Amino acid sequence: MVLVFAEQNNGTFKKATFEAVNYAAKVAQQSGTEVCALVLGEATDVAVLGNYGAAKVVHIADARLNNLEARAYAKAIAIVATQQDAQVLVFSNNNTAKAIAPRVAARLKAGLVAGAIAIPDTANGFVVKKSVFSGKAFAYVKINSAIKVISIIPNSIGVVKSEGSSAVSVQQIDFTDHDFAVKFVSVNKVQGIVPLGEAELVVSGGRGLKGPENWGILENLAGSIGATLACSRPVADSHWRPHHEHVGQTGGTIRPDLYIAVGISGAIQHLAGVNSSKTIVVINKDAEAPFFKSADYGVLGDAFEIVPKLTAAFLKYKAAQHA
Ligand SMILES: Cc1cc2nc3c(=O)[nH]c(=O)nc-3n(C[C@H](O)[C@H](O)[C@H](O)COP(=O)(O)OP(=O)(O)OC[C@H]3O[C@@H](n4cnc5c(N)ncnc54)[C@H](O)[C@@H]3O)c2cc1C
């Protein structure tokens, strides 16, 4: 059995969860087994996971698990993995997985590879491909333990929906106070936008924008295509933009389909977080800006002239599509 942790957010599932289920289904197919998806916390329509390859769903609908409680999550996942005789466990590589996958691996005495970007090669053992050195190289890591834990980087294999269905069983776990030794007190979520880690389209600004008062042109550009905003580190450090928008070595690592970098020089530390983007567009007025070397498309010129024109072009294109 392959067990996939199907993370819920406010009771529903995000694209990255469906991708993890798809990934688990491909791993299961290789070894002629099935996928069991595990949902922790209250959630609606957990059977939808069948559309992405889960043959069964185990739902522990305990309200204490609605937010990430790392110890309790790890305990529940390890118990269900043992009950289901799971040989492989799959997580989506996000902050939740960073907190719980190593705990689960330790409980199950399993080998862990964090950050897989492809289906494991099982021709000769169990070899997982991951990117290393800020996306500059690939590593192939062989897991030799009986139980294997993998977390997959979102946007690595894409999401495919099918007609499949899954049998749902609701289960309970006996937790102790010790399992909740560290507790979430409250959560403030950014509302109304696709979170950066899941965004397919990202518009990002750097120091070339001169100050926070100029972010309107980037907001308009992002709004015209439904993109999420990001920024370079000095922009967040100067409090021009919130820290959750900071990408790079010390910020978020993203893999959107489109990354538009405006007024960002392309320092190695910035590239570390974004150079796995599928298409990179760089707008910079300095022809020597290092970012042009990593760009699929480069626009040489003043952002304050180019960005409004690009926004107008996107809006015109969209209007023509709907005419
Ligand atoms: C340990 C360490 C970790 C770091 N981690 C990160 C990280 O995670 N993320 C990160 O981003 N940085 C990180 N940095 C900082 C990094 O080295 C760079 O200093 C930073 O990325 C530069 O930000 P920037 O490109 O916005 O600014 P700048 O380097 O100042 O570049 C501004 C760019 O805007 C262009 N420009 C100016 N005016 C215009 C205009 N009108 N129109 C168009 N273009 C214009 C300029 O030509 C220039 O290329 C880290 C540094 C260290 C030492």
Side-chain angles (χ1 to χ4, degrees):
M1 182 67 76
V2 175
L3 184 74
V4 55
F5 171 59
E7 185 177 13
Q8 54 78 20
N9 294 78
N10 288 331
T12 58
F13 303 104
K14 293 191 174 158
K15 188 183 142 208
T17 297
F18 296 138
E19 188 179 16
V21 181
N22 273 173
Y23 183 90
K26 291 195 164 132
V27 175
Q29 214 173 18
Q30 280 179 328
S31 49
T33 181
E34 288 189 327
V35 173
C36 172
L38 172 60
V39 181
L40 301 179
E42 294 168 313
T44 51
D45 194 18
V46 297
V48 72
L49 298 168
N51 293 153
Y52 299 90
K56 56 177 158 177
V57 176
V58 172
H59 186 192
I60 300 170
D62 187 325
R64 290 175 296 175
L65 304 177
N66 287 356
N67 289 312
L68 168 63
E69 303 290 353
R71 280 189 191 202
Y73 271 39
K75 175 174 175 175
I77 295 168
I79 289 174
V80 174
T82 306
Q83 285 169 349
Q84 298 292 333
D85 193 20
Q87 301 303 304
V88 181
L89 283 79
V90 174
F91 294 80
S92 182
N93 188 275
N94 57 17
N95 286 336
T96 305
K98 282 176 191 157
I100 54 175
R103 290 172 191 259
V104 172
R107 280 177 180 263
L108 297 175
K109 298 191 172 17
L112 161 72
V113 174
I117 55 169
I119 307 300
D121 179 356
T122 52
N124 182 18
F126 193 97
V127 179
V128 184
K129 179 180 180 183
K130 60 179 282 181
S131 70
V132 289
F133 300 124
S134 305
K136 291 209 172 306
F138 298 121
Y140 296 85
V141 185
K142 192 170 187 178
I143 311 183
N144 292 318
S145 53
I147 301 176
K148 299 154 179 77
V149 178
I150 309 171
S151 67
I152 171 198
I153 301 266
N155 253 343
S156 289
I157 61 158
V159 179
V160 180
K161 194 174 177 186
S162 69
E163 295 296 310
S165 62
S166 54
V168 179
S169 69
V170 178
Q171 213 174 298
Q172 285 189 337
I173 301 277
D174 284 331
F175 292 113
T176 64
D177 286 348
H178 180 69
D179 298 323
F180 295 94
V182 177
K183 264 186 88 64
F184 256 87
V185 179
S186 67
V187 183
N188 286 335
K189 287 194 174 158
V190 181
Q191 300 291 343
I193 52 161
V194 181
L196 202 43
E198 291 167 29
E200 290 171 0
L201 308 175
V202 173
V203 169
S204 189
R207 222 159 22 187
L209 267 291
K210 318 284 187 232
E213 66 283 3
N214 294 325
W215 241 258
I217 59 167
L218 290 196
E219 283 164 356
N220 291 343
L221 176 60
S224 72
I225 53 172
T228 300
L229 285 169
C231 68
S232 67
R233 176 170 152 174
V235 164
D237 284 350
S238 309
H239 304 291
W240 295 1
R241 297 298 300 174
H243 264 288
H244 67 79
E245 289 184 6
H246 156 203
V247 288
Q249 184 184 318
T250 46
T253 303
I254 56 173
R255 290 169 72 89
D257 292 336
L258 175 66
Y259 183 73
I260 305 181
V262 184
I264 302 177
S265 58
I268 182 98
Q269 297 88 355
H270 184 83
L271 294 177
V274 304
N275 62 3
S276 296
S277 306
K278 302 216 169 86
T279 301
I280 296 179
V281 177
V282 169
I283 302 172
N284 199 301
K285 69 175 187 183
D286 175 8
E288 301 299 319
F291 220 149
F292 282 124
K293 292 202 179 86
S294 308
D296 296 288
Y297 300 92
V299 185
L300 180 62
D302 188 337
F304 295 97
E305 281 173 29
I306 290 159
V307 171
K309 284 186 185 159
L310 192 56
T311 307
F314 280 141
L315 291 174
K316 194 171 160 196
Y317 175 78
K318 258 170 72 177
Q321 296 286 91
H322 292 112

